[in-house]
Amino acid sequence: MKPQRIFITGGASGLGYSLALICAKGGWRVCIADRDIERGEAVLGSLQKIQPQTIFMPCDVTQFDDLNAAATKLQEIWGGVDVVVNNAGVAQVGSISDTPLSDWQWIMDINLMGVVRGCKVFTPLFQQQGHGHFINVASMAGLLDVPNMSAYNASKAAVVSLSETLQNELKPHNIAVTVVCPSFFRTNLGQGMRSTITGMQSKLDKLMAGSKLNAADIARQIMRALDKKKSHVLPHRQGRIAWYAKRWLPRTWYQRLIHSQKK
């Protein structure tokens, strides 16, 4: 794939860093953005050894001005950007009765509104240059409905809906949108997780450890989707099977399947 210019939120670790690494090795101009300044500066050196033009920008996706400043800076130094990856996200687990509204507001502001801000900021730039590609990282949680994850599920389902809407809305402007829906895989998502369920961290660690795919595997699938301008990326086979079951089985059968997974 021809080298391009890419901006990645949450780019200092996990999937974001894996994407940055692949692009740097491919000769792309890479900008990683992250609110963790210490981590961002730490990984910048390793990326610059591969691609000296790699840059890091401190960025909090809950702050519109941070994203707007990033878009302005990239237009100044690169003359634009070809791919924007809205990757930053957090996790929350808990029943509807136990999850405080403040947790709902927190996760929506990052998982949903962070993507909204990214798309809103960079769409005018894409329109001005006549092309662009958004990669919005959602989750299989946005397609399925596992109990005790209502806030997280809803935030990711909204990212799926937003992405599918923008696929239609932005197509006339030569702007592509891909939504990525991975299942659990080894990442640092659990570090900032909020949970009202005892022992959830250890359960999450087991789910992540059991994944047959890692961040690099998923990053490679995203790169292939970029090349082919695919609308959806569902990396995990088990996740795809569960989604097909939800779509085609009677609801009561699917619910029995979901509850059987909890035992």
Side-chain angles (χ1 to χ4, degrees):
M1 189 175 181
K2 184 180 178 182
Q4 299 182 54
R5 303 161 295 181
I6 189 169
F7 173 76
I8 307 169
T9 68
S13 62
L15 179 59
Y17 176 74
S18 291
L19 268 173
L21 191 60
I22 289 175
C23 291
K25 289 178 178 178
W28 288 44
R29 280 178 282 181
V30 178
C31 176
I32 57 171
D34 207 290
R35 65 178 180 177
D36 189 332
I37 298 175
E38 184 177 351
R39 181 180 290 165
E41 292 177 342
V43 302
L44 178 61
S46 63
L47 291 170
Q48 286 181 332
K49 289 178 182 177
I50 302 167
Q51 168 53 277
Q53 295 186 48
T54 302
I55 57 177
F56 165 65
M57 290 187 186
C59 182
D60 184 341
V61 298
T62 68
Q63 303 301 311
F64 184 85
D65 287 347
D66 282 9
L67 287 159
N68 196 46
T72 300
K73 186 67 175 178
L74 292 180
Q75 196 164 20
E76 290 175 358
I77 61 177
W78 286 352
V81 62
D82 304 298
V83 181
V84 169
V85 184
N86 292 305
N87 168 67
V90 292
Q92 196 285 332
V93 180
S95 67
I96 187 67
S97 57
D98 293 335
T99 300
L101 288 179
S102 58
D103 278 8
W104 277 87
Q105 292 165 338
W106 168 75
I107 201 167
M108 289 295 177
D109 197 23
I110 298 171
N111 287 6
L112 171 59
M113 293 306 299
V115 178
V116 171
R117 293 183 188 101
C119 291
K120 185 170 181 60
V121 162
F122 283 94
T123 291
L125 192 157
F126 282 172
Q127 289 175 325
Q128 179 182 334
Q129 65 190 20
H131 72 277
H133 198 139
F134 286 115
I135 302 290
N136 295 335
V137 179
S139 167
M140 285 306 301
L143 300 176
L144 306 177
D145 39 75
V146 178
N148 296 316
M149 295 179 64
S150 55
Y152 183 73
N153 293 352
S155 72
K156 293 300 188 177
V159 172
V160 173
S161 179
L162 170 68
S163 301
E164 291 174 342
T165 301
L166 293 181
Q167 286 166 7
N168 298 325
E169 182 177 325
L170 299 178
K171 185 176 177 61
H173 301 280
N174 196 32
I175 300 171
V177 183
T178 297
V179 60
V180 184
C181 298
S183 300
F184 291 107
F185 64 99
R186 179 62 65 184
T187 183
N188 63 340
L189 183 65
Q191 289 183 3
M193 180 179 66
R194 296 185 183 183
S195 175
T196 60
I197 298 178
T198 304
M200 193 60 219
Q201 184 64 59
S202 62
K203 293 178 182 177
L204 181 61
D205 287 342
K206 288 180 181 178
L207 287 169
M208 289 182 172
S211 174
K212 294 182 179 180
L213 301 179
N214 58 31
D217 295 324
I218 295 169
R220 283 190 287 269
Q221 290 199 34
I222 292 173
M223 295 304 293
R224 287 194 291 270
L226 263 173
D227 193 30
K228 297 179 180 178
K229 294 190 175 180
K230 290 180 62 177
S231 60
H232 296 72
V233 179
L234 279 63
H236 290 82
R237 181 174 180 272
Q238 286 185 317
R240 292 194 299 271
I241 291 172
W243 186 50
Y244 296 149
K246 178 182 178 180
R247 294 171 69 193
W248 301 112
L249 289 179
R251 180 67 179 175
T252 53
W253 292 17
Y254 169 71
Q255 286 178 318
R256 284 199 293 269
L257 176 65
I258 288 294
H259 286 284
S260 70
Q261 301 299 313
K262 296 172 61 181
K263 296 180 181 179

